[in-house]
Amino acid sequence: MQKKIEKYVVILPSLVLLTYTFIRAWKLSFTIDESTSFIYYSLDTYKHIIQFSRLESNNHVLNSILMKFFSSWLPLSELTLRLPSLLSQVVYVLFTWLLFRDIKHTWFRLAVWLMLNMNPYMLDFFSLARGYAQSWALLAASLYYLRQFIELNRKRFVYISLSFLFAALSVLASFPVLYYYLALISAWLCYVFYMTVFKWEQAKGAQWLWAGTIYSAFLTIALLAYCLKILFRLDQAGFLYFGGISGFWPDTVKSLIDTTLYGIPYPVFVNKILQYMLPFTLVVSISYLAYNLLKKKKSLHQSGFLLALNAIIVQIGRAS
C-alpha cells in the first residue's frame, strides 16, 4: 500500500510540472540566446560544434549537438529545438526522486523533492533550448550513481564509472559544472588515498578500485584537455565571464536568492532568512555527519554519501 501511495505522490506533481514546461516550450517564442545557438551552431557541422570553430559563449556543446540531432529528423520548430531540455527534465525529475529514496516519510520526501523541482528559474530553463537543463539532469544522475557506489557492495566499478561519465557530460552541457567535476574527482582521490593507505589489504585485491582509478584518470585528462583549451580561447577573446565583483556572499549566495525569488519584491527579512538558511543547512549537515561518526560510531563508508555531498558543496561554494 505504501509503495502505491509513493507512486501516485510523485507521478501527479511530475505530470503537472512536465505539462507546464511542455506548454511553455510549445507556446513561447525563441529567445535571442536560443536563436544564436541555433543559427551559429546547430546549423553547422557536428565537428565544428565540438571544436568551437565559432568562438561564442552561447555554444553549450551538448545542447547544440542535441538541437542539431533532433532538428535533422523532426519538423523544425521551437518545440523540436527545446526537446532536449524537456527530456532532461524527465531525467531530473526521476533522479532527484531516487536520490532521496531513504527518506521513509513519504510526505517529507515529497517536500524535499518539490524544493528541488519547483524553482521557477529552473523551470524556465527546462523549457528553453539551452544547456543548463541537461547539466542539471546529468548532475543529478551523477550524484545518484555516486550514492549507489558508496552504499552498495556490488557493481562498484559500474556505479563510479557512471557517476564520472554523467558528470563529464554535465560539464559539456554547461562549463561551470566543471566545479562539480573537480569536487567529485577530489573526493574520489581522497577515497583512493584512504583505501591504499589505511585499507591496503582490502584495496590491493579490489579490481573495481584500480579500474575506477584508471577510468577516472583518462576521463579527467581528456575532459580537462578539451575544456581548458576552449576556456583559454574564450578568455583570450573576452567571452569568459568568470568570478564576481563584490565577493562570495553578495555575488553567489545573495544573487542566487534574488534570482530564485524571480524578481518578486519580498520583504528584506525574507531575503535575509533565505540567505542564512544555506550556510545553516550546511553546518547542520556537517554536524549530523560528525554525530554519526563520533557518537553513533558509524563508519566512513556508512556516512560516505553525506561526507561526499558536503565536500562537493563546500568545494563548489569556494570555487564560486
Side-chain angles (χ1 to χ4, degrees):
M1 184 66 179
Q2 180 70 14
K3 292 284 186 183
K4 188 176 290 187
I5 292 174
E6 282 189 8
K7 183 170 68 174
Y8 289 111
V9 156
V10 70
I11 286 177
L12 292 177
S14 295
L15 289 175
V16 171
L17 290 173
L18 293 170
T19 301
Y20 169 73
T21 50
F22 176 83
I23 293 173
R24 280 180 55 87
W26 178 31
K27 292 292 186 180
L28 291 182
S29 300
F30 243 34
T31 65
I32 187 170
D33 285 340
E34 291 177 290
S35 301
T36 302
S37 295
F38 172 66
I39 294 170
Y40 289 163
Y41 293 103
S42 295
L43 295 179
D44 206 342
T45 64
Y46 287 113
K47 181 180 179 181
H48 286 171
I49 293 172
I50 295 169
Q51 290 179 340
F52 258 78
S53 295
R54 185 184 181 95
L55 201 59
E56 276 270 357
S57 57
N58 259 319
N59 183 19
H60 297 174
V61 181
L62 186 60
N63 180 63
S64 298
I65 290 173
L66 292 174
M67 286 171 69
K68 181 175 180 61
F69 172 72
F70 283 110
S71 62
S72 66
W73 58 277
L74 290 174
L76 184 59
S77 67
E78 287 92 340
L79 185 60
T80 296
L81 296 173
R82 288 167 172 167
L83 194 54
S85 292
L86 291 173
L87 294 175
S88 295
Q89 188 184 15
V90 177
V91 175
Y92 182 80
V93 161
L94 173 64
F95 278 106
T96 49
W97 181 254
L98 293 175
L99 195 56
F100 297 99
R101 69 188 184 279
D102 62 337
I103 298 178
K104 302 303 181 185
H105 194 288
T106 301
W107 298 108
F108 181 63
R109 182 183 181 187
L110 177 64
V112 173
W113 179 83
L114 286 174
M115 286 181 65
L116 293 172
N117 281 273
M118 289 192 67
N119 185 314
Y121 195 65
M122 292 181 69
L123 290 175
D124 271 3
F125 281 103
F126 279 125
S127 58
L128 298 177
R130 308 291 289 143
Y132 307 113
Q134 291 110 62
S135 71
W136 298 330
L138 292 164
L139 192 150
S142 174
L143 281 172
Y144 171 74
Y145 284 112
L146 174 64
R147 179 167 194 162
Q148 293 292 94
F149 163 76
I150 291 172
E151 295 186 347
L152 301 179
N153 286 318
R154 54 186 175 80
K155 299 181 180 178
R156 305 199 76 189
F157 172 70
V158 173
Y159 291 140
I160 195 61
S161 299
L162 287 173
S163 181
F164 273 107
L165 177 62
F166 284 125
L169 290 172
S170 182
V171 174
L172 296 182
S174 180
F175 282 152
V177 186
L178 190 59
Y179 290 148
Y180 165 75
Y181 189 92
L182 293 176
L184 178 63
I185 191 66
S186 298
W188 170 253
L189 291 175
C190 288
Y191 178 74
V192 172
F193 175 80
Y194 169 78
M195 289 294 292
T196 52
V197 173
F198 299 103
K199 301 277 187 178
W200 174 247
E201 289 301 317
Q202 181 181 341
K204 66 181 181 181
Q207 294 182 355
W208 58 265
L209 180 67
W210 306 113
T213 302
I214 295 170
Y215 171 85
S216 62
F218 276 109
L219 185 62
T220 303
I221 291 170
L223 182 69
L224 290 180
Y226 174 74
C227 291
L228 293 178
K229 179 181 178 181
I230 292 172
L231 290 173
F232 178 76
R233 290 172 58 207
L234 287 170
D235 184 45
Q236 293 295 304
F239 290 128
L240 184 63
Y241 308 109
F242 175 81
I245 299 172
S246 305
F248 168 72
W249 191 264
D251 290 336
T252 300
V253 178
K254 188 176 182 301
S255 65
L256 178 64
I257 299 301
D258 290 338
T259 305
T260 302
L261 294 179
Y262 216 58
I264 300 174
Y266 285 98
V268 175
F269 78 91
V270 174
N271 194 299
K272 288 292 184 184
I273 290 172
L274 292 173
Q275 284 183 46
Y276 287 105
M277 277 180 64
L278 182 61
F280 174 76
T281 303
L282 184 59
V283 169
V284 169
S285 183
I286 293 174
S287 300
Y288 179 69
L289 172 64
Y291 174 76
N292 278 336
L293 292 174
L294 301 176
K295 189 73 176 178
K296 290 192 172 182
K297 303 298 182 182
K298 287 189 176 181
S299 66
L300 277 172
H301 182 268
Q302 289 173 305
S303 303
F305 179 72
L306 189 59
L307 177 65
L309 192 58
N310 278 308
I312 287 168
I313 292 171
V314 170
Q315 187 70 12
I316 292 173
R318 289 182 61 192
S320 299

